[in-house]
Amino acid sequence: MTTPATYWHETDSPVGRLLLTAGPDGAITSLSVPGQKGGRSVQDGWLHDAGPFRAVEEQLAAYFAGELTEFRLPLRAEGTAFRERVWAALDDVPYGATTTYGRIAARIGASRPAVRAVGGAIGANPLLILRPCHRVVGADGSLTGYAGGLERKTRLLALEGATVSRPAPLPATPR
């Protein structure tokens, strides 16, 4: 059985170089950034072709220019049923807004102890920016991990005009 072709293309953005992949049907399968935890890298046998990525490049340019608030692209991320539910819930977080891991867990009907698993699923999101995992913050409103790095997360949230509180660091405990 032959594996379906994977197409790839790189493009520049205000948050660095982006690696895009798509299946033969044109659905975007990943958007990765250099140094991304769990990010993709070009593999032998992948086909370099800018053609399948024209729409995503246009929409990313409009997003970074502040002119687009919702991507309308065919996306296909494959994961466990749990991860796919979490990723689908990310699609419902509006531009310029933030939510918490706990709210995502509640939205998909996961128990309170499953919040850590929700965090793991969000961290494994293969479609950075397009599927807005950067809009998920800690329960106290603080910035938390982002596979693309906290600097990129901060820039994306600032671009969207999202307000994020960063609690003051706790004083050192005397010894």
Side-chain angles (χ1 to χ4, degrees):
M1 179 169 129
T2 48
T3 308
T6 297
Y7 295 90
W8 69 276
H9 179 64
E10 287 185 312
T11 189
D12 288 319
S13 82
V15 295
R17 196 108 174 116
L18 307 177
L19 171 63
L20 299 157
T21 63
D25 61 355
I28 306 301
T29 55
S30 73
L31 185 155
S32 299
V33 296
Q36 176 184 331
K37 179 183 168 190
R40 296 188 87 176
S41 57
V42 177
Q43 304 294 309
D44 288 339
W46 285 9
L47 306 171
H48 184 247
D49 183 357
F53 302 99
R54 285 189 182 92
V56 69
E57 281 190 297
E58 289 170 4
Q59 289 187 36
L60 283 166
Y63 169 80
F64 286 117
E67 301 164 356
L68 181 81
T69 60
E70 189 176 329
F71 293 101
R72 299 205 182 274
L73 297 162
L75 305 176
R76 186 180 61 249
E78 295 179 6
T80 65
F82 179 80
R83 283 185 173 184
E84 289 181 8
R85 285 197 336 265
V86 171
W87 297 337
L90 292 174
D91 292 337
D92 294 331
V93 182
Y95 180 93
T98 59
T99 192
T100 65
Y101 296 92
R103 287 189 196 127
I104 294 285
R107 180 166 184 85
I108 67 165
S111 65
R112 180 77 185 127
V115 170
R116 183 167 287 199
V118 166
I122 291 170
N125 170 25
L127 292 159
L128 294 189
I129 305 168
L130 303 175
R131 182 156 276 151
C133 54
H134 59 276
R135 296 178 188 155
V136 182
V137 297
D140 62 359
S142 63
L143 293 182
T144 54
Y146 180 63
L150 286 180
E151 182 181 324
R152 281 189 186 97
K153 181 173 189 161
T154 302
R155 291 184 69 188
L156 292 168
L157 291 172
L159 168 78
E160 295 183 9
T163 55
V164 178
S165 64
R166 288 184 149 206
L170 296 174
T173 306
R175 294 194 186 251

